[in-house]
């Protein structure tokens, strides 16, 4: 049952990341504006992050969906969710009312303060799911299991024809 649960978590996170990245990659200017709206990064850094983040999200999502480099992809996923929690908490604390920009959009949102607790809770749950995958593995149907399967070597069987007292002479 655990491997099925890990598969479900991996698939859910993978779909989420691909969806989030695909929506933003079609609007690179909007992605940059969403990153800038948090007012946490200098302009040039915010622009680079805004351009690279959608691609990173898609790569992490595809890796999770395929189950390739699952632990590393899940670790990157956890770092991203941690950064999102910090970013949302930061704008909430500073009274900045913006859409999180998680699935495109971004910018001013007059109802943002009501959404922040739910967005933080959602991202904390997703962070925990990512950490679980980083700690465990990809579950069923992962390429990691096929590519890096390590089967233990069988225990050597004693030779039934060998003299059981042959090595005792060396001890005497």
């Amino acid at each position: 049952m655990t491997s099925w649960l890990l598969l479900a978590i991996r698939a859910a996170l993978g779909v989420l990341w691909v969806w989030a990245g695909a929506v933003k990659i079609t609007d690179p200017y909007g992605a940059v504006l969403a990153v800038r709206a948090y007012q946490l990064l200098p302009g040039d850094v915010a622009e680079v992050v805004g351009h690279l983040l959608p691609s990173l999200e898609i790569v992490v999502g595809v890796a999770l969906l395929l189950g390739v480099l699952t632990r590393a992809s899940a670790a990157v996923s956890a770092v991203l969710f941690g950064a999102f929690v910090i970013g949302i908490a930061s704008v909430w604390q500073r009274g900045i009312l913006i859409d999180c920009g998680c699935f495109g959009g971004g910018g001013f949102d007059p109802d943002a303060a009501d959404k922040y607790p739910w967005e933080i809770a959602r991202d904390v749950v997703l962070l925990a799911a990512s950490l679980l995958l980083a700690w465990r593995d990809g579950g069923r149907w992962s390429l990691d299991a096929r590519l890096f399967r390590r089967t233990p070597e069988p225990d050597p069987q004693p030779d039934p024809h060998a003299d059981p007292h042959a090595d005792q002479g060396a001890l005497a």
Side-chain angles (χ1 to χ4, degrees), residues 65-80:
L65 284 171
L66 295 176
V68 65
L69 301 174
T70 304
R71 288 184 168 165
S73 300
V76 171
S77 175
V79 168
L80 289 172

Side-chain angles (χ1 to χ4, degrees), residues 93-157:
Q93 187 273 328
R94 292 180 288 147
I96 299 172
L97 300 175
I98 59 170
D99 178 81
C100 74
C102 303
F103 300 96
F108 179 72
D109 179 0
D111 301 321
D114 296 333
K115 297 175 186 175
Y116 291 152
W118 298 106
E119 292 169 346
I120 290 171
R122 174 200 63 208
D123 288 352
V124 166
V125 168
L126 296 169
L127 168 63
S130 298
L131 289 172
L132 178 65
L133 282 181
W135 175 53
R136 295 292 305 262
D137 65 15
R140 294 183 179 272
W141 298 330
S142 76
L143 287 178
D144 286 342
R146 296 202 182 277
L147 295 173
F148 305 114
R149 180 173 294 163
R150 294 191 177 109
T151 54
E153 300 221 4
D155 290 334
Q157 299 296 320

